Amino acid sequence: QVQLVESGGGLVQAGGSRRLSCVVSGPPGSIFSINLMLWYRQTPGNQREWIASITKEGRATYKNAVRGRFTISRDDAKHTLYLQMNDLRPDDAATYYCNADVMRTPKDLVNYWGQGTQVAVSS
């Protein structure tokens, strides 16, 4: 079974930085390729919101609220997605989730979610 596992969450002071990682893993032969990869975040009582995405070709797109402060990147050799978060603000505090379109075979695409990693920002 393919899994996405996030890490890197924790408590950071406002203005500080944090780097989140998301590793896509599975049994040998279960991952043919990974297409679009995305980061979302969610706070209690609110819907999960998209914040950034990156294509297989490396083209990144950002939500206006994080553009210029957050950087999404990927290392396809390691099946890993990153989110570098700089100049963090209290309203960035949330549980961050990664999402990926995984080609299990050339004709079998499945979308997966990670379990989330929590980021807290102290003012």
Side-chain angles (χ1 to χ4, degrees), residues 58-121:
R59 185 172 66 250
T61 310
Y62 299 94
K63 181 181 177 69
N64 285 343
V66 305
R67 186 179 295 115
R69 299 187 298 121
F70 290 11
T71 302
I72 188 172
S73 62
R74 59 192 287 170
D75 184 337
D76 287 332
K78 296 180 179 179
H79 290 171
T80 301
L81 175 69
Y82 301 100
L83 186 68
Q84 177 66 43
M85 306 185 293
N86 297 329
D87 189 22
L88 282 161
R89 305 166 181 170
D91 60 3
D92 292 318
T95 299
Y96 284 73
Y97 297 88
C98 66
N99 179 276
D101 286 335
V102 178
M103 299 292 295
R104 300 190 300 184
T105 73
K107 295 185 178 180
D108 180 21
L109 186 148
V110 179
N111 183 263
Y112 292 94
W113 287 95
Q115 84 291 346
T117 186
Q118 194 166 6
V119 174
V121 182

Side-chain angles (χ1 to χ4, degrees), residues 16-68:
S17 298
R18 202 80 182 180
R19 189 194 199 201
L20 305 183
S21 300
C22 172
V23 178
V24 182
S25 64
S30 63
I31 301 172
F32 176 75
S33 68
I34 304 172
N35 292 354
L36 188 67
M37 303 183 82
L38 309 94
W39 285 103
Y40 288 76
R41 67 186 181 188
Q42 187 173 24
T43 53
N46 293 307
Q47 289 188 333
R48 195 169 295 186
E49 66 170 356
W50 166 83
I51 57 171
S53 57
I54 186 166
T55 68
K56 188 177 182 180
E57 295 77 22
R59 185 172 66 250
T61 310
Y62 299 94
K63 181 181 177 69
N64 285 343
V66 305
R67 186 179 295 115

